[in-house]
PDB file of all heavy atoms in Angstrom:
ATOM      1  N   THR Y 329      -5.507 135.049  14.877  1.00  0.00           N
ATOM      2  CA  THR Y 329      -5.883 133.644  14.785  1.00  0.00           C
ATOM      3  C   THR Y 329      -7.361 133.411  14.475  1.00  0.00           C
ATOM      4  O   THR Y 329      -7.689 132.539  13.668  1.00  0.00           O
ATOM      5  CB  THR Y 329      -5.483 132.908  16.075  1.00  0.00           C
ATOM      6  OG1 THR Y 329      -4.062 133.029  16.263  1.00  0.00           O
ATOM      7  CG2 THR Y 329      -5.827 131.442  15.997  1.00  0.00           C
ATOM      8  N   PRO Y 330      -8.314 134.154  15.068  1.00  0.00           N
ATOM      9  CA  PRO Y 330      -9.721 133.903  14.743  1.00  0.00           C
ATOM     10  C   PRO Y 330     -10.054 133.917  13.253  1.00  0.00           C
ATOM     11  O   PRO Y 330     -10.865 133.090  12.810  1.00  0.00           O
ATOM     12  CB  PRO Y 330     -10.450 135.017  15.511  1.00  0.00           C
ATOM     13  CG  PRO Y 330      -9.585 135.243  16.711  1.00  0.00           C
ATOM     14  CD  PRO Y 330      -8.183 135.119  16.183  1.00  0.00           C
ATOM     15  N   PRO Y 331      -9.458 134.787  12.419  1.00  0.00           N
ATOM     16  CA  PRO Y 331      -9.787 134.726  10.995  1.00  0.00           C
ATOM     17  C   PRO Y 331      -9.371 133.410  10.333  1.00  0.00           C
ATOM     18  O   PRO Y 331     -10.005 132.969   9.373  1.00  0.00           O
ATOM     19  CB  PRO Y 331      -9.010 135.906  10.396  1.00  0.00           C
ATOM     20  CG  PRO Y 331      -8.807 136.847  11.520  1.00  0.00           C
ATOM     21  CD  PRO Y 331      -8.618 135.972  12.724  1.00  0.00           C
ATOM     22  N   VAL Y 332      -8.304 132.804  10.844  1.00  0.00           N
ATOM     23  CA  VAL Y 332      -7.867 131.519  10.291  1.00  0.00           C
ATOM     24  C   VAL Y 332      -8.927 130.450  10.544  1.00  0.00           C
ATOM     25  O   VAL Y 332      -9.301 129.686   9.649  1.00  0.00           O
ATOM     26  CB  VAL Y 332      -6.503 131.114  10.899  1.00  0.00           C
ATOM     27  CG1 VAL Y 332      -6.148 129.682  10.528  1.00  0.00           C
ATOM     28  CG2 VAL Y 332      -5.413 132.077  10.440  1.00  0.00           C
ATOM     29  N   PHE Y 333      -9.424 130.386  11.772  1.00  0.00           N
ATOM     30  CA  PHE Y 333     -10.500 129.452  12.094  1.00  0.00           C
ATOM     31  C   PHE Y 333     -11.746 129.755  11.271  1.00  0.00           C
ATOM     32  O   PHE Y 333     -12.424 128.853  10.780  1.00  0.00           O
ATOM     33  CB  PHE Y 333     -10.834 129.526  13.586  1.00  0.00           C
ATOM     34  CG  PHE Y 333      -9.898 128.762  14.468  1.00  0.00           C
ATOM     35  CD1 PHE Y 333      -8.644 129.262  14.782  1.00  0.00           C
ATOM     36  CD2 PHE Y 333     -10.264 127.534  14.998  1.00  0.00           C
ATOM     37  CE1 PHE Y 333      -7.779 128.558  15.592  1.00  0.00           C
ATOM     38  CE2 PHE Y 333      -9.403 126.825  15.816  1.00  0.00           C
ATOM     39  CZ  PHE Y 333      -8.155 127.325  16.115  1.00  0.00           C
ATOM     40  N   ALA Y 334     -12.050 131.055  11.122  1.00  0.00           N
ATOM     41  CA  ALA Y 334     -13.251 131.452  10.396  1.00  0.00           C
ATOM     42  C   ALA Y 334     -13.160 131.062   8.927  1.00  0.00           C
ATOM     43  O   ALA Y 334     -14.127 130.557   8.343  1.00  0.00           O
ATOM     44  CB  ALA Y 334     -13.460 132.955  10.530  1.00  0.00           C
ATOM     45  N   GLN Y 335     -12.008 131.280   8.329  1.00  0.00           N
ATOM     46  CA  GLN Y 335     -11.860 130.920   6.917  1.00  0.00           C
ATOM     47  C   GLN Y 335     -11.952 129.407   6.743  1.00  0.00           C
ATOM     48  O   GLN Y 335     -12.551 128.927   5.767  1.00  0.00           O
ATOM     49  CB  GLN Y 335     -10.532 131.453   6.363  1.00  0.00           C
ATOM     50  CG  GLN Y 335     -10.429 131.350   4.857  1.00  0.00           C
ATOM     51  CD  GLN Y 335      -9.165 131.969   4.306  1.00  0.00           C
ATOM     52  OE1 GLN Y 335      -8.382 132.601   5.032  1.00  0.00           O
ATOM     53  NE2 GLN Y 335      -8.933 131.807   3.011  1.00  0.00           N
ATOM     54  N   ALA Y 336     -11.382 128.656   7.661  1.00  0.00           N
ATOM     55  CA  ALA Y 336     -11.488 127.196   7.595  1.00  0.00           C
ATOM     56  C   ALA Y 336     -12.937 126.743   7.733  1.00  0.00           C
ATOM     57  O   ALA Y 336     -13.311 125.680   7.239  1.00  0.00           O
ATOM     58  CB  ALA Y 336     -10.631 126.556   8.682  1.00  0.00           C
ATOM     59  N   GLY Y 337     -13.748 127.568   8.403  1.00  0.00           N
ATOM     60  CA  GLY Y 337     -15.164 127.256   8.571  1.00  0.00           C
ATOM     61  C   GLY Y 337     -16.053 127.920   7.544  1.00  0.00           C
ATOM     62  O   GLY Y 337     -17.271 127.954   7.702  1.00  0.00           O
ATOM     63  N   ASN Y 338     -15.433 128.475   6.476  1.00  0.00           N
ATOM     64  CA  ASN Y 338     -16.181 129.064   5.355  1.00  0.00           C
ATOM     65  C   ASN Y 338     -17.001 130.291   5.743  1.00  0.00           C
ATOM     66  O   ASN Y 338     -18.073 130.542   5.168  1.00  0.00           O
ATOM     67  CB  ASN Y 338     -17.085 128.021   4.700  1.00  0.00           C
ATOM     68  CG  ASN Y 338     -16.297 126.867   4.110  1.00  0.00           C
ATOM     69  OD1 ASN Y 338     -15.344 127.070   3.360  1.00  0.00           O
ATOM     70  ND2 ASN Y 338     -16.675 125.651   4.463  1.00  0.00           N
ATOM     71  N   VAL Y 339     -16.528 131.068   6.706  1.00  0.00           N
ATOM     72  CA  VAL Y 339     -17.183 132.339   7.027  1.00  0.00           C
ATOM     73  C   VAL Y 339     -16.869 133.332   5.902  1.00  0.00           C
ATOM     74  O   VAL Y 339     -15.711 133.511   5.530  1.00  0.00           O
ATOM     75  CB  VAL Y 339     -16.688 132.887   8.374  1.00  0.00           C
ATOM     76  CG1 VAL Y 339     -17.281 134.268   8.641  1.00  0.00           C
ATOM     77  CG2 VAL Y 339     -17.039 131.933   9.506  1.00  0.00           C
ATOM     78  N   PRO Y 340     -17.868 134.007   5.335  1.00  0.00           N
ATOM     79  CA  PRO Y 340     -17.640 134.914   4.200  1.00  0.00           C
ATOM     80  C   PRO Y 340     -17.161 136.295   4.640  1.00  0.00           C
ATOM     81  O   PRO Y 340     -17.922 137.248   4.728  1.00  0.00           O
ATOM     82  CB  PRO Y 340     -19.025 134.990   3.552  1.00  0.00           C
ATOM     83  CG  PRO Y 340     -19.977 134.840   4.699  1.00  0.00           C
ATOM     84  CD  PRO Y 340     -19.320 133.869   5.648  1.00  0.00           C
ATOM     85  N   PHE Y 341     -15.890 136.418   4.916  1.00  0.00           N
ATOM     86  CA  PHE Y 341     -15.314 137.690   5.354  1.00  0.00           C
ATOM     87  C   PHE Y 341     -14.103 138.007   4.498  1.00  0.00           C
ATOM     88  O   PHE Y 341     -13.560 137.141   3.786  1.00  0.00           O
ATOM     89  CB  PHE Y 341     -14.896 137.622   6.826  1.00  0.00           C
ATOM     90  CG  PHE Y 341     -13.589 136.898   7.039  1.00  0.00           C
ATOM     91  CD1 PHE Y 341     -12.390 137.590   7.123  1.00  0.00           C
ATOM     92  CD2 PHE Y 341     -13.550 135.505   7.126  1.00  0.00           C
ATOM     93  CE1 PHE Y 341     -11.183 136.928   7.283  1.00  0.00           C
ATOM     94  CE2 PHE Y 341     -12.352 134.830   7.295  1.00  0.00           C
ATOM     95  CZ  PHE Y 341     -11.161 135.545   7.375  1.00  0.00           C
ATOM     96  N   VAL Y 342     -13.638 139.263   4.590  1.00  0.00           N
ATOM     97  CA  VAL Y 342     -12.376 139.655   3.968  1.00  0.00           C
ATOM     98  C   VAL Y 342     -11.568 140.468   4.972  1.00  0.00           C
ATOM     99  O   VAL Y 342     -12.122 141.144   5.843  1.00  0.00           O
ATOM    100  CB  VAL Y 342     -12.589 140.481   2.679  1.00  0.00           C
ATOM    101  CG1 VAL Y 342     -13.221 139.625   1.596  1.00  0.00           C
ATOM    102  CG2 VAL Y 342     -13.424 141.725   2.954  1.00  0.00           C
ATOM    103  N   TYR Y 343     -10.253 140.371   4.849  1.00  0.00           N
ATOM    104  CA  TYR Y 343      -9.359 141.220   5.623  1.00  0.00           C
ATOM    105  C   TYR Y 343      -9.399 142.625   5.032  1.00  0.00           C
ATOM    106  O   TYR Y 343      -9.274 142.802   3.817  1.00  0.00           O
ATOM    107  CB  TYR Y 343      -7.926 140.712   5.543  1.00  0.00           C
ATOM    108  CG  TYR Y 343      -7.643 139.400   6.238  1.00  0.00           C
ATOM    109  CD1 TYR Y 343      -7.748 138.181   5.571  1.00  0.00           C
ATOM    110  CD2 TYR Y 343      -7.217 139.376   7.571  1.00  0.00           C
ATOM    111  CE1 TYR Y 343      -7.466 136.981   6.198  1.00  0.00           C
ATOM    112  CE2 TYR Y 343      -6.924 138.184   8.204  1.00  0.00           C
ATOM    113  CZ  TYR Y 343      -7.045 136.988   7.523  1.00  0.00           C
ATOM    114  OH  TYR Y 343      -6.751 135.798   8.147  1.00  0.00           O
ATOM    115  N   ALA Y 344      -9.541 143.625   5.892  1.00  0.00           N
ATOM    116  CA  ALA Y 344      -9.598 145.007   5.418  1.00  0.00           C
ATOM    117  C   ALA Y 344      -8.343 145.795   5.780  1.00  0.00           C
ATOM    118  O   ALA Y 344      -7.849 146.578   4.973  1.00  0.00           O
ATOM    119  CB  ALA Y 344     -10.814 145.712   5.992  1.00  0.00           C
ATOM    120  N   ALA Y 345      -7.842 145.601   6.978  1.00  0.00           N
ATOM    121  CA  ALA Y 345      -6.686 146.368   7.448  1.00  0.00           C
ATOM    122  C   ALA Y 345      -6.121 145.678   8.674  1.00  0.00           C
ATOM    123  O   ALA Y 345      -6.710 144.733   9.215  1.00  0.00           O
ATOM    124  CB  ALA Y 345      -7.082 147.805   7.777  1.00  0.00           C
ATOM    125  N   SER Y 346      -4.970 146.174   9.120  1.00  0.00           N
ATOM    126  CA  SER Y 346      -4.292 145.574  10.260  1.00  0.00           C
ATOM    127  C   SER Y 346      -3.787 146.651  11.199  1.00  0.00           C
ATOM    128  O   SER Y 346      -3.449 147.764  10.770  1.00  0.00           O
ATOM    129  CB  SER Y 346      -3.108 144.730   9.774  1.00  0.00           C
ATOM    130  OG  SER Y 346      -2.235 144.384  10.828  1.00  0.00           O
ATOM    131  N   ASP Y 347      -3.728 146.326  12.477  1.00  0.00           N
ATOM    132  CA  ASP Y 347      -2.987 147.152  13.421  1.00  0.00           C
ATOM    133  C   ASP Y 347      -1.510 146.790  13.338  1.00  0.00           C
ATOM    134  O   ASP Y 347      -1.133 145.773  12.740  1.00  0.00           O
ATOM    135  CB  ASP Y 347      -3.470 146.900  14.857  1.00  0.00           C
ATOM    136  CG  ASP Y 347      -4.812 147.530  15.149  1.00  0.00           C
ATOM    137  OD1 ASP Y 347      -5.255 148.390  14.369  1.00  0.00           O
ATOM    138  OD2 ASP Y 347      -5.430 147.150  16.157  1.00  0.00           O
ATOM    139  N   ALA Y 348      -0.664 147.591  13.961  1.00  0.00           N
ATOM    140  CA  ALA Y 348       0.763 147.272  14.043  1.00  0.00           C
ATOM    141  C   ALA Y 348       0.975 146.067  14.964  1.00  0.00           C
ATOM    142  O   ALA Y 348       0.154 145.806  15.854  1.00  0.00           O
ATOM    143  CB  ALA Y 348       1.534 148.479  14.568  1.00  0.00           C
ATOM    144  N   PRO Y 349       2.039 145.305  14.763  1.00  0.00           N
ATOM    145  CA  PRO Y 349       2.311 144.166  15.640  1.00  0.00           C
ATOM    146  C   PRO Y 349       2.480 144.609  17.093  1.00  0.00           C
ATOM    147  O   PRO Y 349       2.945 145.711  17.369  1.00  0.00           O
ATOM    148  CB  PRO Y 349       3.628 143.596  15.091  1.00  0.00           C
ATOM    149  CG  PRO Y 349       3.733 144.110  13.697  1.00  0.00           C
ATOM    150  CD  PRO Y 349       3.066 145.453  13.705  1.00  0.00           C
ATOM    151  N   ALA Y 350       2.106 143.721  18.020  1.00  0.00           N
ATOM    152  CA  ALA Y 350       2.269 143.988  19.457  1.00  0.00           C
ATOM    153  C   ALA Y 350       2.663 142.694  20.164  1.00  0.00           C
ATOM    154  O   ALA Y 350       1.907 142.160  20.976  1.00  0.00           O
ATOM    155  CB  ALA Y 350       0.987 144.562  20.036  1.00  0.00           C
ATOM    156  N   PRO Y 351       3.841 142.157  19.863  1.00  0.00           N
ATOM    157  CA  PRO Y 351       4.222 140.856  20.425  1.00  0.00           C
ATOM    158  C   PRO Y 351       4.352 140.846  21.940  1.00  0.00           C
ATOM    159  O   PRO Y 351       4.210 139.791  22.565  1.00  0.00           O
ATOM    160  CB  PRO Y 351       5.565 140.557  19.751  1.00  0.00           C
ATOM    161  CG  PRO Y 351       6.088 141.896  19.325  1.00  0.00           C
ATOM    162  CD  PRO Y 351       4.877 142.698  18.963  1.00  0.00           C
ATOM    163  N   GLY Y 352       4.594 142.010  22.540  1.00  0.00           N
ATOM    164  CA  GLY Y 352       4.718 142.065  23.991  1.00  0.00           C
ATOM    165  C   GLY Y 352       3.390 142.138  24.713  1.00  0.00           C
ATOM    166  O   GLY Y 352       3.347 142.141  25.946  1.00  0.00           O
ATOM    167  N   ALA Y 353       2.288 142.170  23.950  1.00  0.00           N
ATOM    168  CA  ALA Y 353       0.965 142.333  24.553  1.00  0.00           C
ATOM    169  C   ALA Y 353       0.262 141.006  24.794  1.00  0.00           C
ATOM    170  O   ALA Y 353      -0.928 140.980  25.093  1.00  0.00           O
ATOM    171  CB  ALA Y 353       0.101 143.230  23.671  1.00  0.00           C
ATOM    172  N   GLU Y 354       0.964 139.894  24.677  1.00  0.00           N
ATOM    173  CA  GLU Y 354       0.443 138.582  25.053  1.00  0.00           C
ATOM    174  C   GLU Y 354       1.595 137.755  25.595  1.00  0.00           C
ATOM    175  O   GLU Y 354       2.756 137.955  25.210  1.00  0.00           O
ATOM    176  CB  GLU Y 354      -0.237 137.879  23.877  1.00  0.00           C
ATOM    177  CG  GLU Y 354       0.671 137.575  22.712  1.00  0.00           C
ATOM    178  CD  GLU Y 354      -0.052 136.830  21.599  1.00  0.00           C
ATOM    179  OE1 GLU Y 354      -1.280 136.648  21.685  1.00  0.00           O
ATOM    180  OE2 GLU Y 354       0.624 136.396  20.636  1.00  0.00           O
ATOM    181  N   ALA Y 355       1.290 136.837  26.504  1.00  0.00           N
ATOM    182  CA  ALA Y 355       2.370 136.104  27.164  1.00  0.00           C
ATOM    183  C   ALA Y 355       1.855 134.867  27.877  1.00  0.00           C
ATOM    184  O   ALA Y 355       0.656 134.733  28.151  1.00  0.00           O
ATOM    185  CB  ALA Y 355       3.085 137.018  28.169  1.00  0.00           C
ATOM    186  N   ILE Y 356       2.790 133.984  28.182  1.00  0.00           N
ATOM    187  CA  ILE Y 356       2.545 132.866  29.097  1.00  0.00           C
ATOM    188  C   ILE Y 356       2.941 133.362  30.480  1.00  0.00           C
ATOM    189  O   ILE Y 356       4.065 133.856  30.674  1.00  0.00           O
ATOM    190  CB  ILE Y 356       3.395 131.645  28.725  1.00  0.00           C
ATOM    191  CG1 ILE Y 356       3.135 131.225  27.276  1.00  0.00           C
ATOM    192  CG2 ILE Y 356       3.116 130.486  29.680  1.00  0.00           C
ATOM    193  CD1 ILE Y 356       4.123 130.164  26.770  1.00  0.00           C
ATOM    194  N   VAL Y 357       2.045 133.249  31.445  1.00  0.00           N
ATOM    195  CA  VAL Y 357       2.352 133.699  32.796  1.00  0.00           C
ATOM    196  C   VAL Y 357       2.230 132.537  33.782  1.00  0.00           C
ATOM    197  O   VAL Y 357       1.468 131.597  33.563  1.00  0.00           O
ATOM    198  CB  VAL Y 357       1.440 134.866  33.244  1.00  0.00           C
ATOM    199  CG1 VAL Y 357       1.645 136.073  32.346  1.00  0.00           C
ATOM    200  CG2 VAL Y 357      -0.023 134.450  33.267  1.00  0.00           C
ATOM    201  N   VAL Y 358       2.999 132.648  34.846  1.00  0.00           N
ATOM    202  CA  VAL Y 358       2.928 131.709  35.967  1.00  0.00           C
ATOM    203  C   VAL Y 358       2.858 132.531  37.247  1.00  0.00           C
ATOM    204  O   VAL Y 358       3.068 133.743  37.228  1.00  0.00           O
ATOM    205  CB  VAL Y 358       4.162 130.773  36.004  1.00  0.00           C
ATOM    206  CG1 VAL Y 358       4.201 129.877  34.767  1.00  0.00           C
ATOM    207  CG2 VAL Y 358       5.453 131.590  36.117  1.00  0.00           C
ATOM    208  N   LYS Y 359       2.554 131.872  38.333  1.00  0.00           N
ATOM    209  CA  LYS Y 359       2.539 132.600  39.607  1.00  0.00           C
ATOM    210  C   LYS Y 359       3.951 133.048  39.978  1.00  0.00           C
ATOM    211  O   LYS Y 359       4.940 132.429  39.578  1.00  0.00           O
ATOM    212  CB  LYS Y 359       1.951 131.723  40.704  1.00  0.00           C
ATOM    213  CG  LYS Y 359       0.445 131.560  40.604  1.00  0.00           C
ATOM    214  CD  LYS Y 359      -0.130 130.965  41.878  1.00  0.00           C
ATOM    215  CE  LYS Y 359      -1.644 131.063  41.877  1.00  0.00           C
ATOM    216  NZ  LYS Y 359      -2.227 130.569  43.153  1.00  0.00           N
ATOM    217  N   LYS Y 360       4.014 134.106  40.744  1.00  0.00           N
ATOM    218  CA  LYS Y 360       5.299 134.701  41.100  1.00  0.00           C
ATOM    219  C   LYS Y 360       6.236 133.698  41.755  1.00  0.00           C
ATOM    220  O   LYS Y 360       7.442 133.673  41.485  1.00  0.00           O
ATOM    221  CB  LYS Y 360       5.074 135.893  42.041  1.00  0.00           C
ATOM    222  CG  LYS Y 360       6.335 136.671  42.380  1.00  0.00           C
ATOM    223  CD  LYS Y 360       5.995 137.876  43.244  1.00  0.00           C
ATOM    224  CE  LYS Y 360       7.244 138.683  43.554  1.00  0.00           C
ATOM    225  NZ  LYS Y 360       6.929 139.888  44.381  1.00  0.00           N
ATOM    226  N   ASP Y 361       5.689 132.822  42.603  1.00  0.00           N
ATOM    227  CA  ASP Y 361       6.518 131.861  43.320  1.00  0.00           C
ATOM    228  C   ASP Y 361       6.558 130.491  42.655  1.00  0.00           C
ATOM    229  O   ASP Y 361       7.008 129.512  43.244  1.00  0.00           O
ATOM    230  CB  ASP Y 361       6.029 131.710  44.758  1.00  0.00           C
ATOM    231  CG  ASP Y 361       4.564 131.269  44.831  1.00  0.00           C
ATOM    232  OD1 ASP Y 361       3.919 131.161  43.770  1.00  0.00           O
ATOM    233  OD2 ASP Y 361       4.070 131.046  45.960  1.00  0.00           O
ATOM    234  N   SER Y 362       6.095 130.405  41.408  1.00  0.00           N
ATOM    235  CA  SER Y 362       6.083 129.128  40.703  1.00  0.00           C
ATOM    236  C   SER Y 362       7.513 128.634  40.460  1.00  0.00           C
ATOM    237  O   SER Y 362       8.407 129.421  40.125  1.00  0.00           O
ATOM    238  CB  SER Y 362       5.369 129.267  39.357  1.00  0.00           C
ATOM    239  OG  SER Y 362       5.540 128.112  38.575  1.00  0.00           O
ATOM    240  N   PRO Y 363       7.745 127.327  40.585  1.00  0.00           N
ATOM    241  CA  PRO Y 363       9.067 126.778  40.281  1.00  0.00           C
ATOM    242  C   PRO Y 363       9.350 126.727  38.783  1.00  0.00           C
ATOM    243  O   PRO Y 363      10.487 126.464  38.374  1.00  0.00           O
ATOM    244  CB  PRO Y 363       9.001 125.363  40.870  1.00  0.00           C
ATOM    245  CG  PRO Y 363       7.559 125.004  40.838  1.00  0.00           C
ATOM    246  CD  PRO Y 363       6.822 126.293  41.107  1.00  0.00           C
ATOM    247  N   ILE Y 364       8.341 126.991  37.958  1.00  0.00           N
ATOM    248  CA  ILE Y 364       8.518 126.964  36.500  1.00  0.00           C
ATOM    249  C   ILE Y 364       9.260 128.222  36.074  1.00  0.00           C
ATOM    250  O   ILE Y 364       8.776 129.335  36.242  1.00  0.00           O
ATOM    251  CB  ILE Y 364       7.157 126.879  35.789  1.00  0.00           C
ATOM    252  CG1 ILE Y 364       6.419 125.600  36.194  1.00  0.00           C
ATOM    253  CG2 ILE Y 364       7.339 126.939  34.280  1.00  0.00           C
ATOM    254  CD1 ILE Y 364       4.985 125.528  35.695  1.00  0.00           C
ATOM    255  N   ARG Y 365      10.453 128.007  35.520  1.00  0.00           N
ATOM    256  CA  ARG Y 365      11.294 129.140  35.128  1.00  0.00           C
ATOM    257  C   ARG Y 365      11.563 129.203  33.634  1.00  0.00           C
ATOM    258  O   ARG Y 365      12.064 130.218  33.139  1.00  0.00           O
ATOM    259  CB  ARG Y 365      12.642 129.064  35.872  1.00  0.00           C
ATOM    260  CG  ARG Y 365      12.525 129.222  37.374  1.00  0.00           C
ATOM    261  CD  ARG Y 365      12.244 130.662  37.739  1.00  0.00           C
ATOM    262  NE  ARG Y 365      11.906 130.829  39.150  1.00  0.00           N
ATOM    263  CZ  ARG Y 365      11.640 132.010  39.706  1.00  0.00           C
ATOM    264  NH1 ARG Y 365      11.688 133.112  38.957  1.00  0.00           N
ATOM    265  NH2 ARG Y 365      11.319 132.096  40.986  1.00  0.00           N
ATOM    266  N   THR Y 366      11.270 128.137  32.917  1.00  0.00           N
ATOM    267  CA  THR Y 366      11.484 128.096  31.473  1.00  0.00           C
ATOM    268  C   THR Y 366      10.272 127.478  30.795  1.00  0.00           C
ATOM    269  O   THR Y 366       9.487 126.759  31.434  1.00  0.00           O
ATOM    270  CB  THR Y 366      12.724 127.264  31.119  1.00  0.00           C
ATOM    271  OG1 THR Y 366      12.490 125.899  31.478  1.00  0.00           O
ATOM    272  CG2 THR Y 366      13.966 127.783  31.835  1.00  0.00           C
ATOM    273  N   VAL Y 367      10.138 127.712  29.503  1.00  0.00           N
ATOM    274  CA  VAL Y 367       9.048 127.097  28.752  1.00  0.00           C
ATOM    275  C   VAL Y 367       9.202 125.584  28.761  1.00  0.00           C
ATOM    276  O   VAL Y 367       8.208 124.845  28.848  1.00  0.00           O
ATOM    277  CB  VAL Y 367       9.019 127.645  27.305  1.00  0.00           C
ATOM    278  CG1 VAL Y 367       7.992 126.893  26.467  1.00  0.00           C
ATOM    279  CG2 VAL Y 367       8.722 129.142  27.297  1.00  0.00           C
ATOM    280  N   ALA Y 368      10.430 125.091  28.711  1.00  0.00           N
ATOM    281  CA  ALA Y 368      10.666 123.648  28.739  1.00  0.00           C
ATOM    282  C   ALA Y 368      10.101 123.006  29.998  1.00  0.00           C
ATOM    283  O   ALA Y 368       9.679 121.842  29.989  1.00  0.00           O
ATOM    284  CB  ALA Y 368      12.159 123.365  28.624  1.00  0.00           C
ATOM    285  N   ALA Y 369      10.051 123.776  31.087  1.00  0.00           N
ATOM    286  CA  ALA Y 369       9.549 123.251  32.354  1.00  0.00           C
ATOM    287  C   ALA Y 369       8.027 123.106  32.364  1.00  0.00           C
ATOM    288  O   ALA Y 369       7.461 122.589  33.334  1.00  0.00           O
ATOM    289  CB  ALA Y 369       9.995 124.151  33.503  1.00  0.00           C
ATOM    290  N   LEU Y 370       7.368 123.524  31.285  1.00  0.00           N
ATOM    291  CA  LEU Y 370       5.920 123.331  31.187  1.00  0.00           C
ATOM    292  C   LEU Y 370       5.557 121.890  30.846  1.00  0.00           C
ATOM    293  O   LEU Y 370       4.381 121.525  30.884  1.00  0.00           O
ATOM    294  CB  LEU Y 370       5.332 124.252  30.118  1.00  0.00           C
ATOM    295  CG  LEU Y 370       5.324 125.752  30.418  1.00  0.00           C
ATOM    296  CD1 LEU Y 370       4.831 126.524  29.193  1.00  0.00           C
ATOM    297  CD2 LEU Y 370       4.452 126.061  31.632  1.00  0.00           C
TER     298      LEU Y 370
END
């Protein structure tokens, strides 16, 4: 996401390479005892 903001702000950069996807390495978290059980409950 940061490169998208940077390009919109005219930062003079180029993409050089990418790591492999890691979709499990970011998440929405709540406390263990939170009553929120679904995204809709947000």
